[in-house]
Amino acid sequence: MSYNYKLVHKSAFHAQAYYQDYDNIFGSFIENSPLVRSTDMIGQSTITSKKQDLRFNFKTPIEKLFYTQGALLDWRVDILKDKTGQTLLSGSIGGDTWTPYMTMTQYAPFVQFQSDITKQRIRTGLRNEHTQIKVDDFNTVFGGHINDGKVTFQETSFNISLVYKLTNHTEIFAGVSEGYNVPEVGTNSTTQGNSLCGI
């Protein structure tokens, strides 16, 4: 779902929201798998994930402030909540937790400036990302107990690019853009001394 609104002085506001409810059932394990009890013939796992996301974006012309054509300030906030876990279906170990449900909360403010300078167009921006992953207490498929825990990540990335107009039909471009990803948090992962999950 998205919403657009034109503000005064050529400014604009854009909002976007989405919700995803996702289930993925995997193929079966063979009966001699350590995840299948001797009383069961097969085992089968499923991943369940629910995501909610909000994005707010403002575009503000600032030509009068910088006395340049096309000067624009683009700033926004991204907010994400993701709850994902993997369990074993009934008929294998009876719905036990394989990988516990993890709740990831993430927000990232972002600002970008762009402007035309004679035959050049410059664009540069900063993004500051904050992520927290929280796991409640859970019991493993073999009866072990894992205490709850949480880890946090924070990183600032930037981008800068320059477009130069050689002719009316030809432009050259150069740019640098950083990216940031949270590392995978999976089975037997430990981060900052917290055991997030394990068998």
Side-chain angles (χ1 to χ4, degrees):
M1 181 174 63
S2 62
Y3 174 78
N4 293 285
Y5 185 76
K6 291 185 179 180
L7 303 172
V8 296
H9 304 301
K10 298 182 180 179
S11 296
F13 169 72
H14 174 73
Q16 185 179 45
Y18 77 80
Y19 173 79
Q20 181 187 57
D21 192 344
Y22 171 83
D23 290 283
N24 185 16
I25 298 177
F26 291 92
S28 58
F29 307 117
I30 57 176
E31 61 180 327
N32 62 357
S33 167
L35 297 177
V36 180
R37 294 177 302 203
S38 59
T39 55
D40 296 321
M41 297 298 295
I42 61 172
Q44 198 167 23
S45 71
T46 179
I47 287 181
T48 302
S49 177
K50 293 183 178 181
K51 295 181 174 67
Q52 299 135 59
D53 180 81
L54 282 172
R55 296 181 180 181
F56 302 100
N57 183 211
F58 292 88
K59 291 187 177 181
T60 307
I62 50 176
E63 296 176 347
K64 293 182 179 180
L65 183 61
F66 285 87
Y67 301 101
T68 56
Q69 182 180 359
L72 178 69
L73 195 63
D74 185 354
W75 51 286
R76 71 170 183 247
V77 177
D78 297 338
I79 304 169
L80 171 68
K81 184 177 182 181
D82 180 344
K83 185 174 183 180
T84 300
Q86 185 171 8
T87 59
L88 294 166
L89 297 177
S90 298
S92 53
I93 307 184
D96 297 281
T97 300
W98 185 357
T99 300
Y101 280 93
M102 303 181 187
T103 302
M104 181 178 74
T105 305
Q106 193 173 65
Y107 69 93
F110 170 84
V111 62
Q112 181 167 273
F113 167 79
Q114 70 177 44
S115 179
D116 295 337
I117 307 172
T118 61
K119 294 184 177 181
Q120 304 172 62
R121 176 177 298 164
I122 188 170
R123 179 179 296 167
T124 183
L126 286 173
R127 178 182 175 91
N128 187 242
E129 192 147 350
H130 301 259
T131 303
Q132 181 184 87
I133 300 175
K134 183 179 180 181
V135 184
D136 296 330
D137 288 354
F138 74 99
N139 295 316
T140 70
V141 293
F142 297 122
H145 180 76
I146 304 296
N147 292 326
D148 67 333
K150 63 182 178 181
V151 292
T152 58
F153 306 87
Q154 187 273 331
E155 186 65 33
T156 299
S157 56
F158 80 98
N159 70 78
I160 185 169
S161 64
L162 179 67
V163 179
Y164 186 81
K165 188 175 182 179
L166 295 175
T167 69
N168 290 333
H169 305 288
T170 306
E171 294 178 339
I172 57 175
F173 168 85
V176 176
S177 179
E178 287 187 326
Y180 171 68
N181 287 317
V182 174
E184 178 184 356
V185 183
T187 304
N188 293 325
S189 295
T190 57
T191 305
Q192 297 181 0
N194 294 321
S195 178
L196 290 184
C197 57
I199 294 179

